[in-house]
Every structure is written in structure tokens, then in C-alpha cells.
Amino acid sequence: MTPLWALFLALVAVTHAETPGCKIRVTSKALELVKQEGLKFLEQELETITIPDLRGSEGPFSYNISEVKVAKLQLVQSELYFQPTRDLILYISNASISLRFRRQLLYWFLYDGGYVDASAEGVSIHTALQLARDPGGRIKVSNVSCGASVSKMQAAFGGTFKKVYDFLSTFIISGMRFLLNQQICPVLHHAGLVLLNSLLGTVPVRSTVDQYVGIDYSLLSDPVTSASNLDMNFRGAFFPLVEANTSFPNRAVEPQLQEEERMVYVAFSEFFFDSAMDSYFRAGVFRLELVGDKVPKDLDMVLRATFFGSIILLSPAVIDAPLKLELQVLAPPRCTIKPSGTTISVTASLVIALAPPDQPQVQLSSMTMDARLSAKMALRGKALQAQMDLRRFRIYSNQSALESLALIPLQAPLKTLLQIAVMPLLNERTKRGVQIPLPEGIDFVKEVVTNQAGFLTIGADLHFTKGLREVIEKNRPSGDLEPTSSPPQPVAPAS
């Protein structure tokens, strides 16, 4: 391949790279919390280690070591850190494992048996979890490399045959140490590739928000790690459920994350919110009809007085008919994010008519409404919420400038209508929020929202609402068993 052709392919790839609507950064400050919870889980997993029976003979003596159980685990020193470009490293040093096993000794016709306590000291474990994007757009652990070593092991033999056991202990202890070395990494492989992936499987990728729209949080590329953080780019796009394959072009500014002071940062571009409003628009949600008693009495009186000249010319059967207001958004609203705040621009039509029973409605007027809403974003748990407030509002006629002047008296009462009838409905929906892609059992706390030019960021800390064991057991793959065979030859731990 010529250099020119390679350059061309690289430019094409960059041109077609999809811009993320949502980014998440996990900083090294979160790793201490994750490590504390992770070590609890790891201790429980390592306690399930099963060591095969150890049999042998030396001269006239035959021995059998069986029923080896891990009694206690002490992970004294540990580090959890990011390693460029896709790894999460866990290094445990100077750990100890207390064991208890059954001993059996046969010397000619003499037999001895009982239980013995043993300990493995100076246990070191070096594990690297490689993170990747799977074909479905979900984050997963794609590979686990592991190295484990036990520097020394000792057992407290006693009884009548203590001197014999002391003689045989070199063979027994060396064998048990070898077997223990071989069993640690299979447990960690299983914990990473099966159990941890079952936890990551709880991160929503493509899910429904309500009966109208869904959201797509597919990862666009493999996660990237630096020495201080883990960055993930998500599609961050809503879609209408009636047109689930709909995709919207993302021409918004790409969010940028520079901060590292909090445990986690989430950034949303204007596209994230635009796709939400476009989806609801296509789903036909942005429509409202008020008829009869649903129209506030004060507004009813003002409207009848305003259009009295038109009403008086109608037949008596129509004059006293209930008023009907039809409000419909004409185009998908648009979001603008600036350092000063977030605004939503909406253009809608309002049709005012009389609706006599069992007769066609009689239109009195049709007008266009331009509104600007302010939006205050907040993060509660895992839900991104918005509180809307009507800031600017104007109406004008579709017919003539003269009629637009005649509508000026309706400006204030119609704005009041929006504030008391429309905004509460809108805020009720946005208050439900939309879930952020986090695993089950983890929530955000101490959130701070910051507006940037074209996107907003939310800095927060993490809080475990459930233990890892609880979540993993709930989502453990059916038929999953503990590892019984060794993976590829373990790698020696880094010094």
C-alpha cells in the first residue's frame, strides 16, 4: 500500500467517524472506592479456590492431602490504576492465605490422620483487565492477563508422626504451593471475563425511556485509558419507538472533558437534547387540545371578547359552542447551550375555534407562537433531569400584520395559559429523567453542572447502593460454574 493511499484511507476514516453525543470520564479518584468494593468481592472469589488432592510416597511412607479449604484471606497491600491505552491494573502484594486441610499418612500397617492449619505468605497477584467495545456497542472485559506467586508456605504438623511429617513437609508444602499458584489465576480469569462482564452487562445500551422514545448509548469505540483516567465515547442519541431505526445527523460541537478533580464526569452535547426533542416530535407528543371546561374561564372570556366580531356573525347554534384550542409544535425544538445557560427554542401553531357538538368546528383564528424556554439540568442518582421555565413568548398572525397587532392583547393571557397548562405537563415528563449509562448498584452523588459552549458537563462522585456480590449474583449467567481448568499459562507478575 502506497503512503498516499494509506493517507487517503485515514482521512476517509476520520471523515466518517461518528461524533459522540455523550462522553464519560472515570478518573483515578474513583479507583480507591472501586478498589475497596472490588477487594471485598475478590476475597470472596479467592476463598472459593479448590486445590486438588495431593498424593505421594517417600520410601515406606504414603501420604494424602485432601479437603483443602481457604480459611482466611488477607490482602494487605493493593493498587488499582489505569495503564495506557486500554488496561485496568490490579496489583496485590504481601498477601496471605490461611488454609486448612486433612492429612492422611500410611506407614506399613500404621495409619495417622487429622486436620492441619497452613498458611501461604508473600502472595503476589498482578492482573490486567483489557477493556473494549463489543459488537453490540457495550463495554466489556475483552482479555485478562494474570500472574500469581507464593513466596513461602508453612504448615503446623503435630501428633505422633510429627517427625515423619517434618521429613515429608518439603514435598507436601512444595506441592501445595505449586497447586495454589496454579489455582489463583483461573479464579481471576473467571471473575473478569464472566462475573465482571455480567456487571457491565447491566449498563444500558439501547433501551426505552417511556412509551414514546428510546435512547442509544452504544459505545462508538474502545475505551481509552491514560495514566489518570478512562474515557468513553457514547452515541448518546434518542429515537422514536415507532421509527426505531431512525438516526439523526450529529452536527453539534463534540463535548470535551478536561477536568480530573471529581470521580466521574459526564458531558452532553446539544445533539443529545436535540435528538430527544426530534424523537418526541416524530412520536407526535408535542400536541395539546383544550376544549370546553379545560380552557381557563378567564382566557375563555378574553378570547370570546377578542373575536366577538366574528362570533356574532355565526348562527345561534354555534355562538355558545365550547371553545377549542389546538396547540401543535411545527418543527422539532432546538437546544442551545452557552456558558450563561441552556435554552430551548420552540415554534408552534395555535388554532382557536368553536366546537359545537356533532358539528364541524368553526375556526376563529390561527396564529404562530415563538417561545424560548430555559432549562436547568440536574443529575439525581443515575437520572438526568431537566426543569423548564418559560422565558420569552410572542404570537403573530399567519394572515397579516394588521391581525398580528390585533392579537397583542392575547399575548399575556396565552403566556399564562402556557405556564399553567403546558409547562407543568412538560416538567412532569422531564422530571422523570433519562438514565445515564452506569452499572446497576452505582449512583452519582454531589453533582455539579457546568455549561460550556455547545455542551454541558456534570462532575460527580460515585456511591455504591448495592454490593458487587449482590449485583453479580443477580445477573450471573445461567449455568455459570466456577472455573475448573486453567487458562493459558499465566504470566509472571511484574516486579
Side-chain angles (χ1 to χ4, degrees):
M1 181 183 294
T2 65
L4 183 60
W5 181 246
L7 177 61
F8 172 75
L9 292 179
L11 289 174
V12 170
V14 171
T15 302
H16 288 83
E18 186 175 347
T19 303
C22 171
K23 286 187 174 184
I24 294 183
R25 164 171 288 183
V26 180
T27 72
S28 57
K29 294 184 182 299
L31 293 185
E32 185 60 34
L33 176 68
V34 173
K35 186 182 77 171
Q36 292 173 9
E37 191 65 30
L39 287 179
K40 295 177 187 177
F41 171 74
L42 187 58
E43 286 179 358
Q44 294 170 339
E45 285 300 300
L46 289 174
E47 286 172 358
T48 66
I49 288 177
T50 56
I51 298 178
D53 293 355
L54 181 65
R55 296 182 178 90
S57 60
E58 187 68 24
F61 300 99
S62 297
Y63 59 86
N64 180 34
I65 302 299
S66 61
E67 300 178 23
V68 183
K69 304 288 184 183
V70 175
K72 188 178 180 181
L73 202 67
Q74 289 185 318
L75 305 181
V76 180
Q77 299 173 357
S78 61
E79 294 179 78
L80 183 65
Y81 57 92
F82 296 117
Q83 176 175 284
T85 56
R86 288 165 53 191
D87 288 348
L88 181 63
I89 307 296
L90 173 64
Y91 179 61
I92 297 172
S93 60
N94 200 30
S96 62
I97 302 176
S98 298
L99 303 170
R100 185 172 176 79
F101 60 87
R102 183 184 181 190
R103 73 175 193 272
Q104 293 173 296
L105 179 67
L106 183 64
Y107 173 66
W108 296 109
F109 297 106
L110 300 176
Y111 170 80
D112 179 66
Y115 287 89
V116 176
D117 293 324
S119 63
E121 305 293 339
V123 179
S124 296
I125 304 172
H126 183 275
T127 306
L129 306 178
Q130 188 174 79
L131 304 174
R133 172 192 181 275
D134 73 7
R138 188 184 303 277
I139 184 174
K140 71 168 187 177
V141 177
S142 61
N143 187 48
V144 177
S145 62
C146 173
S149 65
V150 179
S151 64
K152 64 178 180 178
M153 193 163 182
Q154 56 188 10
F157 291 104
T160 305
F161 290 86
K162 181 178 184 304
K163 291 186 177 180
V164 176
Y165 284 117
D166 289 342
F167 169 72
L168 297 174
S169 63
T170 301
F171 306 102
I172 295 174
I173 295 304
S174 297
M176 288 186 63
R177 177 183 168 190
F178 173 79
L179 292 174
L180 183 60
N181 272 335
Q182 295 300 305
Q183 293 303 313
I184 291 176
C185 281
V187 170
L188 294 179
H189 274 82
H190 181 263
L193 294 175
V194 178
L195 302 184
L196 186 54
N197 275 334
S198 72
L199 172 69
L200 295 176
T202 66
V203 177
V205 173
R206 190 174 174 90
S207 57
T208 58
V209 176
D210 52 30
Q211 66 268 39
Y212 303 108
V213 306
I215 188 166
D216 187 344
Y217 278 125
S218 299
L219 268 176
L220 299 180
S221 57
D222 289 332
V224 176
T225 59
S226 67
S228 57
N229 54 62
L230 164 70
D231 287 332
M232 296 170 284
N233 294 340
F234 297 89
R235 177 167 289 121
F238 290 76
F239 58 89
L241 296 181
V242 294
E243 304 174 36
N245 293 325
T246 299
S247 60
F248 305 108
N250 184 354
R251 301 184 181 91
V253 174
E254 181 175 344
Q256 301 296 322
L257 289 173
Q258 306 295 336
E259 302 88 345
E260 296 181 354
E261 290 75 24
R262 307 295 297 277
M263 291 185 181
V264 64
Y265 289 90
V266 188
F268 302 97
S269 73
E270 292 174 343
F271 168 77
F272 179 86
F273 303 102
D274 284 347
S275 69
M277 293 180 288
D278 210 327
S279 298
Y280 279 112
F281 177 79
R282 296 194 184 202
V285 175
F286 295 144
R287 302 180 62 183
L288 179 66
E289 289 188 358
L290 299 176
V291 183
D293 293 341
K294 298 295 183 181
V295 180
K297 291 183 178 180
D298 292 345
L299 180 60
D300 186 290
M301 294 176 58
V302 171
L303 292 176
R304 288 182 185 275
T306 301
F307 300 106
F308 179 77
S310 300
I311 295 174
I312 199 64
L313 299 177
L314 301 174
S315 66
V318 177
I319 290 178
D320 295 326
L323 269 178
K324 180 180 181 180
L325 305 182
E326 296 180 355
L327 182 64
Q328 181 173 350
V329 175
L330 297 176
R334 285 292 170 255
C335 172
T336 303
I337 302 176
K338 297 180 179 179
S340 57
T342 302
T343 59
I344 309 293
S345 300
V346 186
T347 299
S349 67
L350 176 63
V351 174
I352 303 173
L354 292 174
D358 304 322
Q359 295 184 45
Q361 70 180 32
V362 179
Q363 181 173 314
L364 299 177
S365 180
S366 175
M367 63 192 75
T368 300
M369 307 169 61
D370 285 341
R372 181 168 294 181
L373 315 177
S374 65
K376 185 177 181 180
M377 306 298 173
L379 202 55
R380 298 290 182 267
K382 277 195 284 278
L384 177 67
Q385 302 173 341
Q387 176 71 29
M388 306 288 188
D389 190 20
L390 181 61
R391 290 300 184 188
R392 294 183 183 179
F393 172 78
R394 74 183 183 98
I395 56 174
Y396 54 92
S397 172
N398 298 326
Q399 307 300 323
S400 66
L402 185 61
E403 187 173 343
S404 295
L405 291 174
L407 295 176
I408 291 177
L410 296 179
Q411 183 93 9
L414 287 177
K415 183 176 182 180
T416 302
L417 171 68
L418 293 179
Q419 290 173 327
I420 64 175
V422 177
M423 296 306 299
L425 294 176
L426 184 60
N427 282 322
E428 181 183 1
R429 186 175 303 280
T430 58
K431 189 176 181 180
R432 299 171 194 165
V434 59
Q435 185 176 343
I436 305 303
L438 272 185
E440 181 181 342
I442 303 177
D443 281 349
F444 293 108
V445 294
K446 301 178 182 177
E447 311 88 353
V448 176
V449 180
T450 305
N451 280 42
Q452 311 286 349
F455 62 95
L456 61 84
T457 61
I458 302 175
D461 291 335
L462 296 175
H463 170 67
F464 280 92
T465 59
K466 298 179 182 178
L468 286 181
R469 169 65 59 186
E470 179 184 354
V471 177
I472 287 175
E473 288 299 329
K474 176 183 174 183
N475 297 280
R476 181 189 287 265
S478 58
D480 174 51
L481 300 174
E482 295 296 334
T484 56
S485 60
S486 298
Q489 189 66 28
V491 179
S495 58

